[in-house]
Amino acid sequence: MNHISARVFSDSLRKYLRASGYFQKGLAKELGLHPKVLSRKLRGNGDSHLTAEEVQRIISILARWQAITTREEAFGLLELAKLEPDSFTDKDWETPPLSHLTGKDAMLDDVALHFIQRSLPAPLTSFVGREEEVEKLRGLLGRDEVRLVTLVGAGGSGKTRLAQHVANDMADEFAQGVWFVALASVLDAAQVPKSILQALGIQSTLALSAVQSLITYLRHKQLLLILDNFEQVREAAGVVGELLAAAPGLKVLVTSRVVLHLYGESEFKVSPLELPDSSAILDIAKLEQYGAIRLFIERARAVMPDFSLTTENAAAIAQICARVDGLPLTLELAAARVKVLPPELLLARLSAARLTMLTSEAWNLPIRQQALRKTIRWSYDLLTQTERIWFARLGVFNGGWSLEAAEAMMQAF
């Protein structure tokens, strides 16, 4: 590599480093060189020069740091260094980090889009009801000024499923697609950035913190990030704020039992599925229009294929749905019992012992969703000691409470 090539190559290299937040000193460390030695090589001083192997390693490091994101950029650097495009073998291009680089040909874009659309967990059951909520959430996320939406609701209300359904529908609207980050098993808020890195398939480096690595990667991306079950890591809300401030093309959809309390946050309440009025005449055709009834029937058919809504069981099914408050999780747990208990007997058992009845034997469900008691326990364990005292005192109210009554109860503590 001659002197002019070294200068042109190093100028381009520094631009990539500056744009991505990395420094030449960090690059020298990755190469195993003293910073001054690397400087001389980049300037082409005297007998100092970059070898072809060092140029290849630099390009690989830039790819790993997401300082370059396309094969065209890698080819451009090879050209500046007077190296041939085939300096990397086919195996090199198929192996990380070079395999993470995208191309511009239509076939590669189709493959990338297919992969992006599959970055969400594949649903194992159909999505039932919530047509109005789906349209409202799509509209909210589609607004340019809305970049953080938090789905808030009780445990088992269907926040995760709603988020996945809408995100899957909107995947084509984000250049880099939608990405799902499961946080239910993360109990330390400090681990949230690393969890996001893992979900995105990004490797952090010693030169940058996990947050800085995320910012570097997301800065020029347009994607939707789903942070699922954020309630137990709410101290990491500041990280979400940092990412949104640094990456203008980023949107974040959060599911949580509490809001993040960030400026610019849009709260979207996820309520139980719609229930029929208890005083309404039980018309089967009309009953099947309610989301709670439809979900119960469909999940009941999963264990009993010939199950159907009839004039004989309509009243019991409507009361079962009301008894479990129209919550999707409890409806599914209850529906699984119709294989051994007809609706009338199931209703009687639920009225006598709801917590012990609503359990599941599905081993691929999260532990907190295998029983209603565990769902409640999950929420209760997230409360502080003071909040647990308030929670117990709220038990004196029946059917809700006024703000004044809650304030009086809390002030008495």
Side-chain angles (χ1 to χ4, degrees):
M1 190 187 307
N2 58 41
H3 179 72
I4 295 177
S5 299
R7 187 178 69 246
V8 176
F9 176 83
S10 68
D11 287 345
S12 183
L13 171 61
R14 289 190 181 96
K15 289 179 182 178
Y16 282 121
L17 291 175
R18 283 196 300 270
S20 58
Y22 286 89
F23 298 94
Q24 190 171 303
K25 183 177 180 180
L27 179 62
K29 185 175 181 179
E30 290 283 335
L31 291 169
L33 298 174
H34 191 282
K36 291 184 179 180
V37 174
L38 178 59
S39 294
R40 288 197 297 269
K41 284 176 173 284
L42 290 174
R43 290 195 301 268
N45 286 351
D47 295 332
S48 297
H49 63 275
L50 289 169
T51 65
E53 181 184 357
E54 286 171 334
V55 170
Q56 290 174 275
R57 290 181 62 195
I58 287 173
I59 293 173
S60 293
I61 292 168
L62 293 179
R64 176 157 51 86
W65 287 352
Q66 288 85 46
I68 61 173
T69 57
T70 67
R71 289 193 180 188
E72 285 69 26
E73 290 172 310
F75 288 140
L77 288 170
L78 287 172
E79 183 178 0
L80 292 176
K82 303 296 184 182
L83 296 178
E84 296 298 323
D86 60 359
S87 296
F88 289 110
T89 66
D90 290 342
K91 184 177 181 180
D92 290 332
W93 291 115
E94 295 170 359
T95 306
L98 295 183
S99 62
H100 293 157
L101 300 178
T102 60
K104 292 184 177 180
D105 58 285
M107 182 178 294
L108 185 58
D109 283 345
D110 288 343
V111 173
L113 180 59
H114 176 79
F115 174 71
I116 286 170
Q117 290 177 330
R118 295 299 183 272
S119 65
L120 293 168
L124 299 178
T125 56
S126 60
F127 184 82
V128 178
R130 298 203 185 280
E131 291 83 3
E132 185 177 347
E133 290 97 326
V134 168
E135 287 305 311
K136 286 183 177 179
L137 184 55
R138 280 185 60 102
L140 187 60
L141 284 169
R143 289 162 50 188
D144 292 340
E145 71 277 12
V146 176
R147 298 184 52 223
L148 171 61
V149 179
T150 302
L151 302 186
V152 182
S157 59
K159 302 181 293 296
T160 298
R161 193 62 188 275
L162 175 60
Q164 292 175 346
H165 181 79
V166 171
N168 189 57
D169 284 349
M170 299 184 71
D172 293 349
E173 300 179 25
F174 296 89
Q176 280 73 44
V178 295
W179 298 88
F180 185 85
V181 185
L183 297 173
S185 61
V186 181
L187 302 180
D188 182 0
Q191 297 301 312
V192 170
K194 292 183 179 179
S195 297
I196 300 175
L197 284 172
Q198 291 172 357
L200 291 171
I202 304 170
Q203 291 185 348
S204 185
T205 68
L206 295 176
L208 292 178
S209 66
V211 174
Q212 290 172 324
S213 295
L214 281 171
I215 290 174
T216 298
Y217 176 78
L218 295 171
R219 182 177 286 127
H220 304 297
K221 300 291 192 300
Q222 183 188 10
L223 59 80
L224 175 64
L225 195 63
I226 303 174
L227 304 179
D228 187 47
N229 287 113
F230 203 87
E231 58 268 6
Q232 80 281 1
V233 289
R234 49 188 171 182
E235 294 83 0
V239 171
V240 178
E242 285 187 63
L243 297 180
L244 288 167
L250 172 67
K251 291 199 176 191
V252 179
L253 180 59
V254 176
T255 72
S256 176
R257 300 187 191 183
V258 292
V259 295
L260 274 60
H261 295 294
L262 290 177
Y263 182 72
E265 178 181 22
S266 295
E267 180 180 347
F268 191 99
K269 184 172 179 57
V270 180
S271 302
L273 290 171
E274 187 180 9
L275 292 164
D277 190 327
S278 59
S279 62
I281 298 176
L282 297 178
D283 180 87
I284 292 180
K286 291 182 179 179
L287 278 179
E288 289 180 327
Q289 296 177 10
Y290 290 93
I293 302 291
R294 286 162 53 197
L295 180 62
F296 181 89
I297 294 172
E298 182 158 326
R299 298 300 185 261
R301 286 173 178 164
V303 297
M304 193 175 178
D306 59 348
F307 184 86
S308 62
L309 181 68
T310 66
T311 54
E312 289 76 20
N313 64 22
I317 291 176
Q319 291 180 60
I320 289 171
C321 293
R323 182 64 181 161
V324 298
D325 301 318
L327 288 171
L329 174 62
T330 54
L331 284 167
E332 294 192 1
L333 294 174
R337 295 287 184 174
V338 300
K339 186 175 182 179
V340 293
L341 295 172
E344 295 78 6
L345 185 54
L346 175 59
L347 174 62
R349 294 287 185 91
L350 286 173
S351 300
R354 180 166 49 167
L355 289 180
T356 56
M357 279 293 299
L358 296 178
T359 60
S360 172
E361 297 180 356
W363 62 267
N364 58 338
L365 280 177
I367 293 177
R368 68 183 188 284
Q369 294 180 2
Q370 292 179 5
L372 179 59
R373 187 184 298 275
K374 292 179 180 179
T375 300
I376 297 173
R377 168 61 65 180
W378 168 267
S379 294
Y380 182 79
D381 288 344
L382 295 175
L383 300 176
T384 65
Q385 187 59 38
T386 299
E387 288 170 339
R388 292 180 184 183
I389 294 175
W390 291 345
F391 178 80
R393 291 187 176 188
L394 287 172
V396 303
F397 298 108
N398 182 22
W401 52 82
S402 65
L403 176 61
E404 293 77 11
E407 287 178 335
M409 181 272 295
M410 291 180 180
Q411 290 171 359
F413 173 68

